[in-house]
């Protein structure tokens, strides 16, 4: 900008000199100034005396300096931009390659932003995918790892490490795109857990058939929560308080009983004494075949691949994790201290 202003000033000075001092017309004065600054080698428009030639020499030097400055700045901007973009892409590639046992959020709309906030509160590694650069920049401004790309494409999912991820959330507004994501992700990583957003009942069924482990309809879920808030407000507040947010005192977590590590498989809850050892409460048990046992008694026997749903403070759940394990990080996320 400064170079262009300076060049314009030199052009104005040259035109005024040839017009006012040499007595040329404005057209001839401007033409002479342009060919002088451009150093094209044309002859003088009108004969010049010694004074005029000295001024022309000075004008040529000023023009060369200004044009050289402009070209230098322009070249520098191009080269810096090229290398900076290359460095940025290389850093992003290294970051994506380092991700493991992470979560993937497809879509950074209002739903995706809320999911990202909850993931950050839980201190879990995750990456955001969105096709819009504005959304990616917003995610990056909030401190999230983000990648611009079409989440329905296998190449995009591979670049964010879908084969190493433990969970993917398809939160795009389009049910069709979420279905494509589910199909692609399950093909690339059959063991990944997928949570998908659905707008309609029909889409909900199709996403489940497509391989989504859990399908959430914001409208259905929102309606149920509003009804619960009206009918059982204290219950809803309690459940919300232990499921979400960074300032919780109580947490709920699930634990997978791996028979290779858990010493209590085959024992009853009474014999295992999980409550007395950890202080955490076992609320329910999900059997490997999907059967849910709510409020298990002391006679309930722990079976291989059971999933225990426990509630307690962060320390109580960490203690329960140690008692049941050690269990790999992909099986359990220790609660984050508030």
């Amino acid at each position: 900008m400064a170079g262009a202003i300076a060049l314009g000033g030199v052009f104005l000075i040259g035109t005024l000199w040839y017009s006012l001092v040499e007595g040329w017309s404005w057209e001839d004065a401007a033409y002479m100034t342009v060919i002088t600054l451009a150093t094209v080698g044309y002859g003088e428009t009108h004969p010049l005396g010694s004074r005029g030639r000295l001024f022309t020499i000075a004008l040529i030097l000023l023009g060369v300096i200004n044009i050289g400055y402009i070209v230098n700045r322009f070249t520098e901007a191009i080269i810096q931009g090229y290398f900076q973009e290359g460095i940025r892409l290389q850093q992003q590639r290294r970051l994506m390659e380092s991700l493991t046992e992470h979560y993937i959020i497809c879509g950074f709309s209002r739903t995706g932003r809320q999911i990202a906030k909850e993931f950050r509160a839980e201190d879990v590694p995750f990456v955001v995918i969105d096709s819009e650069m504005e959304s990616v920049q917003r995610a990056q401004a909030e401190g999230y790892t983000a990648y611009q790309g079409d989440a329905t494409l296998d190449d995009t999912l591979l670049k964010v490490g879908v084969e190493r991820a433990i969970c993917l959330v398809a939160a795009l507004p389009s049910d069709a795109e979420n279905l494509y994501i589910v199909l692609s992700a399950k093909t690339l990583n059959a063991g990944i857990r997928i949570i998908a957003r659905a707008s309609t009942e029909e889409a909900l069924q199709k996403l489940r058939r497509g391989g989504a482990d859990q399908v959430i309809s914001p409208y259905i879920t929102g309606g149920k929560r509003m009804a619960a808030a009206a009918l059982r407000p204290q219950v809803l507040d309690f459940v919300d308080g232990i499921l979400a947010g960074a300032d919780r005192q109580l947490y709920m977590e699930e634990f997978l009983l791996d028979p290779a590590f858990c010493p209590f498989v085959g024992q009853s809850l009474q014999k295992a004494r999980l409550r007395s050892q950890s202080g955490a409460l076992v609320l329910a048990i999900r059997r490997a075949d999907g059967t849910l046992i709510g409020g298990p008694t002391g006679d309930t026997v722990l079976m291989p691949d059971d999933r225990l749903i426990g509630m307690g403070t962060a320390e109580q759940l960490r203690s329960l994790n140690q008692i049941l394990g050690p269990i790999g990080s992909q099986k359990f996320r220790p609660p984050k201290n508030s």
Side-chain angles (χ1 to χ4, degrees), residues 100-104 160-168 189 191-192:
T100 182
E101 296 182 1
H102 57 290
Y103 293 69
I104 301 172
V160 297
V162 67
E163 71 278 11
R164 302 185 303 277
I166 60 175
C167 183
L168 179 145
N189 182 356
I192 192 171

Side-chain angles (χ1 to χ4, degrees), residues 256-276:
L256 176 64
L257 301 188
D258 188 339
F261 299 105
C262 181
F264 301 108
V265 172
Q267 298 183 16
S268 66
L269 278 175
Q270 183 178 13
K271 187 175 181 180
R273 297 173 49 247
L274 300 180
R275 177 70 186 276
S276 61

